[in-house]
Amino acid sequence: MNTLKGLLLKDLYVFKNFKSNIIFSVFMFIFLITMASLRMDIFTAGSILFLIFFGMNSISSFSYDENADSDKYLLSLPITRKEIVFTKYLFVFLNSFISLLIGIIISFIITLLIRGKINNIADSLRVCLIAFTSVSFLMCSNLPCIYKWGVEKGRMQSVIIPAIFIFILGIFGGLLLMFFPELYQDIDLLYLFKISPFICVILNILFYLISYLISFKIYLKKSI
Amino acid sequence: MEYNLEVAELEKKYSNFHLKHINIKLPKGKIIGLVGENGSGKTTTIKSILNLIKYDKGNIKIFGKNTNNLTKIDREKIGVVLDDSFFAPILNVNDINKLMKKFYHNWNEKYYFEKVKKFNIPTNKPLKEFSSGMKMKIKVLCALAHEPKLLILDEPTNGLDPIFRYEIVDLFADFVSNKENSILMTTHITSDLEHLVDEVIFILQGNIILDIAKNKIDNEYGIIEILPENISKIKKEDYLKCLKYKNIYYILVDSRLEFQKKYPKLEIRKPTLEEIMLILVKGE
């Protein structure tokens, strides 16, 4: 457990390097949300923006490790490959989750202070969770590429592979619509939206689990 | 004799490099120096020992256990310095202390900060602002501060100034003085090994070309400097190798006594490790 804490701490230290940038960005974000809230309710958009802006910063910890060739050193300490991969996934998840949480809290307070109320808060939170799942999808398709090719060399693959997944899903959905149009007529979108938190949780677990297993397999075979 | 490290018939093949028949037996209380030019296979050997790469053949044991079967507790007894790998350069000495405390049960914070102070290492500066020598000092302290029994050091004196090299060599000598601890170190700065190692292994293009006790070098090996016009007077079978450098022939022999008997008029002296390495690598 201590090892995991140590590895998480190591990744957290990366943020130290752009501490002032983060503080500045948060204040800018608060300012923009405040300005926008004067005209409309942007509780959902604000939360999602915060998630997108800060939730994907965890990739930089891979860059720092890569530049210092840290994995070689870490593996010579009493640390296993499994612990290294697991902690990275935990870090990526926590970073996205906490970013969303902070985004929601900031947007909630600002919207409440300026507009006095938040419309359809449950629906807004559902949309936030769908956005979180989309970010998880992107991150989880990126991470095995990083483990396979590294942050720099895997940059192109990190874009192409999620795009391929989305393309395949689109084709699949299109074919379904073409050959089984009645399927879409039967789908109750409102019901789907209502149960979306449950679907999102399942999808997040699946994304992280599958991605972790692929990354771990890649990392296990890798010569450091 | 009990060994902290045993490497038997290690082999690793790359497309352009073949490390083969690497045998190392490191007893308790001893220091072995693995010496060779860049690209000779020293780091591949270290990486194999640390399980960082999968080797093709051979067997490696640490504390009598196959390296694949080492527990975390066993691995806590190994201290490592790698020339080209460490924590991210944004970390400082205090951050590293906090991390190492999490990774090692035996992390000796007091020892760490005592040495940090002694070596004048700044505690709040990030590693990226350190000189390479300063960085190496921290790496060495990290390897020592968790009270290991075996040190595996890849070029630990690289980039160090002579004063700190002297201090560090002293630290290593002190480390093995309990007759339980051992050190395997690679280096191409052979002068650091002169007064430190018990055994030297010379490695060239993936092969061990000489594995010898340091006292045998001190007591038996010899070097003769001779002008080109006199080289024909010495029979080839009477020496190991010979190197011509700046119009002088340097002849390496494995028995000063025997050579002196055959050639009493020639002056013979003890060779340095650097001379041995040069003659073995470049000589004929």
Side-chain angles (χ1 to χ4, degrees):
Chain A
M1 202 60 189
N2 261 350
T3 308
L4 296 186
K5 278 186 204 163
L7 288 169
L8 271 180
L9 192 63
K10 173 189 77 69
D11 287 335
L12 268 176
Y13 281 144
V14 166
F15 289 145
K16 254 190 3 176
N17 207 34
F18 31 83
K19 196 167 57 187
S20 45
N21 282 357
I22 292 176
I23 294 169
F24 176 74
S25 306
V26 170
F27 278 109
M28 276 305 288
F29 176 80
I30 292 172
F31 174 74
L32 289 173
I33 294 283
T34 311
M35 288 294 118
S37 291
L38 291 171
R39 288 183 165 272
M40 58 186 144
D41 179 351
I42 63 149
F43 169 65
T44 317
S47 309
I48 293 172
L49 269 176
F50 200 88
L51 164 71
I52 292 169
F53 201 78
F54 295 99
M56 291 161 98
N57 277 345
S58 44
I59 296 292
S60 50
S61 79
F62 284 91
S63 303
Y64 278 98
D65 285 348
E66 199 172 292
N67 290 337
D69 207 357
S70 292
D71 282 15
K72 200 197 290 179
Y73 183 68
L74 291 173
L75 286 169
S76 72
L77 308 179
I79 298 171
T80 62
R81 291 182 187 234
K82 195 176 183 175
E83 284 167 332
I84 289 180
V85 181
F86 181 77
T87 322
K88 278 286 181 205
Y89 271 82
L90 193 62
F91 180 65
V92 167
F93 173 79
L94 287 176
N95 183 58
S96 305
F97 188 72
I98 292 169
S99 298
L100 176 67
L101 216 61
I102 295 172
I104 289 174
I105 293 169
I106 293 175
S107 304
F108 181 84
I109 294 170
I110 293 171
T111 314
L112 212 62
L113 283 175
I114 292 174
R115 303 189 72 82
K117 63 172 181 142
I118 293 162
N119 298 323
N120 296 323
I121 190 158
D123 285 353
S124 295
L125 289 176
R126 279 191 183 94
V127 175
C128 288
L129 203 56
I130 292 169
F132 178 79
T133 310
S134 307
V135 169
S136 296
F137 169 77
L138 279 177
M139 298 300 279
C140 288
S141 44
N142 263 348
L143 293 179
C145 300
I146 292 173
Y147 276 106
K148 180 76 183 168
W149 294 287
V151 182
E152 292 307 319
K153 288 181 191 161
R155 208 179 279 278
M156 191 59 89
Q157 289 90 330
S158 299
V159 177
I160 291 171
I161 288 177
I164 290 173
F165 276 126
I166 293 166
F167 182 72
I168 291 170
L169 268 174
I171 295 277
F172 183 70
L175 286 173
L176 273 181
L177 181 65
M178 198 184 291
F179 294 107
F180 308 100
E182 68 278 4
L183 260 178
Y184 283 82
Q185 283 156 15
D186 296 341
I187 291 173
D188 182 350
L189 284 176
L190 208 63
Y191 176 71
L192 263 184
F193 184 64
K194 275 214 160 20
I195 62 160
S196 62
F198 176 71
I199 297 172
C200 286
V201 170
I202 302 273
L203 282 177
N204 271 293
I205 293 171
L206 272 178
F207 291 157
Y208 274 96
L209 189 69
I210 293 169
S211 178
Y212 166 75
L213 290 174
I214 296 170
S215 295
F216 178 57
K217 209 167 179 182
I218 292 169
Y219 197 60
L220 203 61
K221 286 182 186 166
K222 202 173 182 179
S223 283
I224 305 291
Chain B
M1 193 179 282
E2 282 187 86
Y3 298 97
N4 276 339
L5 170 71
E6 294 161 87
V7 178
E9 288 300 309
L10 173 69
E11 198 170 329
K12 172 74 185 172
K13 206 171 183 176
Y14 292 107
S15 56
N16 55 353
F17 177 73
H18 193 180
L19 182 82
K20 53 186 181 289
H21 307 307
I22 301 296
N23 292 288
I24 301 167
K25 280 193 160 195
L26 176 57
K28 287 184 174 179
K30 302 285 180 194
I31 302 176
I32 290 182
L34 197 57
V35 179
E37 56 186 343
N38 291 332
S40 58
K42 304 184 301 283
T43 303
T44 306
T45 306
I46 295 284
K47 280 183 172 184
S48 303
I49 292 169
L50 294 172
N51 252 346
L52 297 174
I53 52 169
K54 284 199 167 66
Y55 45 91
D56 303 322
K57 278 184 197 165
N59 190 21
I60 302 174
K61 285 182 181 174
I62 291 179
F63 310 130
K65 283 183 185 177
N66 190 300
T67 45
N68 294 319
N69 302 329
L70 289 178
T71 62
K72 278 205 165 203
I73 295 164
D74 294 326
R75 291 176 63 193
E76 286 205 21
K77 294 179 200 157
I78 306 169
V80 176
V81 170
L82 299 172
D83 182 30
D84 55 352
S85 167
F86 199 48
F87 290 114
I90 43 165
L91 270 61
N92 61 35
V93 166
N94 289 324
D95 299 335
I96 291 170
N97 174 58
K98 282 177 197 156
L99 296 183
M100 294 306 250
K101 253 164 56 178
K102 302 268 182 224
F103 298 146
Y104 288 101
H105 288 104
N106 281 343
W107 181 252
N108 191 336
E109 199 172 351
K110 194 171 160 246
Y111 171 89
Y112 176 77
F113 280 114
E114 263 174 23
K115 297 291 178 196
V116 161
K117 199 173 170 190
K118 186 183 168 193
F119 297 143
N120 294 321
I121 305 171
T123 48
N124 286 319
K125 259 190 185 178
L127 292 176
K128 65 182 171 192
E129 288 176 26
F130 280 24
S131 65
S132 56
M134 199 85 89
K135 222 179 278 177
M136 188 53 85
K137 287 177 187 180
I138 274 296
K139 288 184 187 182
V140 171
L141 290 187
C142 286
L144 286 166
H146 55 89
E147 294 157 13
K149 291 198 174 303
L150 169 66
L151 281 184
I152 297 174
L153 314 167
D154 190 18
E155 307 280 358
T157 50
N158 233 1
L160 297 179
D161 56 80
I163 293 163
F164 187 67
R165 273 188 7 223
Y166 168 80
E167 284 175 322
I168 222 161
V169 164
D170 194 42
L171 272 180
F172 293 155
D174 186 45
F175 174 76
V176 292
S177 63
N178 66 356
K179 305 285 175 203
E180 281 293 314
N181 298 343
S182 322
I183 301 176
L184 172 71
M185 64 189 282
T186 72
T187 185
H188 59 265
I189 307 167
T190 46
S191 57
D192 296 330
L193 302 178
E194 289 289 351
H195 305 289
L196 184 67
V197 294
D198 300 287
E199 186 180 332
V200 192
I201 297 174
F202 292 91
I203 189 165
L204 175 69
Q205 290 166 359
N207 291 290
I208 290 177
I209 50 167
L210 184 67
D211 179 354
I212 188 167
K214 180 64 172 51
N215 59 13
K216 191 170 174 172
I217 292 176
D218 294 341
N219 299 333
E220 296 175 24
Y221 271 55
I223 203 159
I224 305 104
E225 290 173 33
I226 195 164
L227 291 167
E229 54 266 32
N230 296 328
I231 189 73
S232 56
K233 291 175 190 164
I234 298 169
K235 288 180 194 166
K236 260 205 155 178
E237 59 266 29
D238 290 335
Y239 63 85
L240 291 173
K241 275 193 169 189
C242 162
L243 172 73
K244 192 184 174 198
Y245 180 65
K246 287 187 180 171
N247 218 26
I248 293 175
Y249 278 92
Y250 292 84
I251 294 171
L252 181 70
V253 297
D254 57 3
S255 172
R256 286 201 296 264
L257 215 65
E258 274 183 35
F259 192 87
Q260 198 74 89
K261 273 183 200 165
K262 285 184 185 171
Y263 306 95
K265 286 182 181 167
L266 290 176
E267 199 178 311
I268 188 163
R269 63 171 171 82
K270 210 173 83 174
T272 64
L273 288 174
E274 189 173 329
E275 285 171 330
I276 295 178
M277 186 170 90
L278 265 172
I279 297 173
L280 287 176
V281 172
K282 298 282 179 198
E284 292 165 356

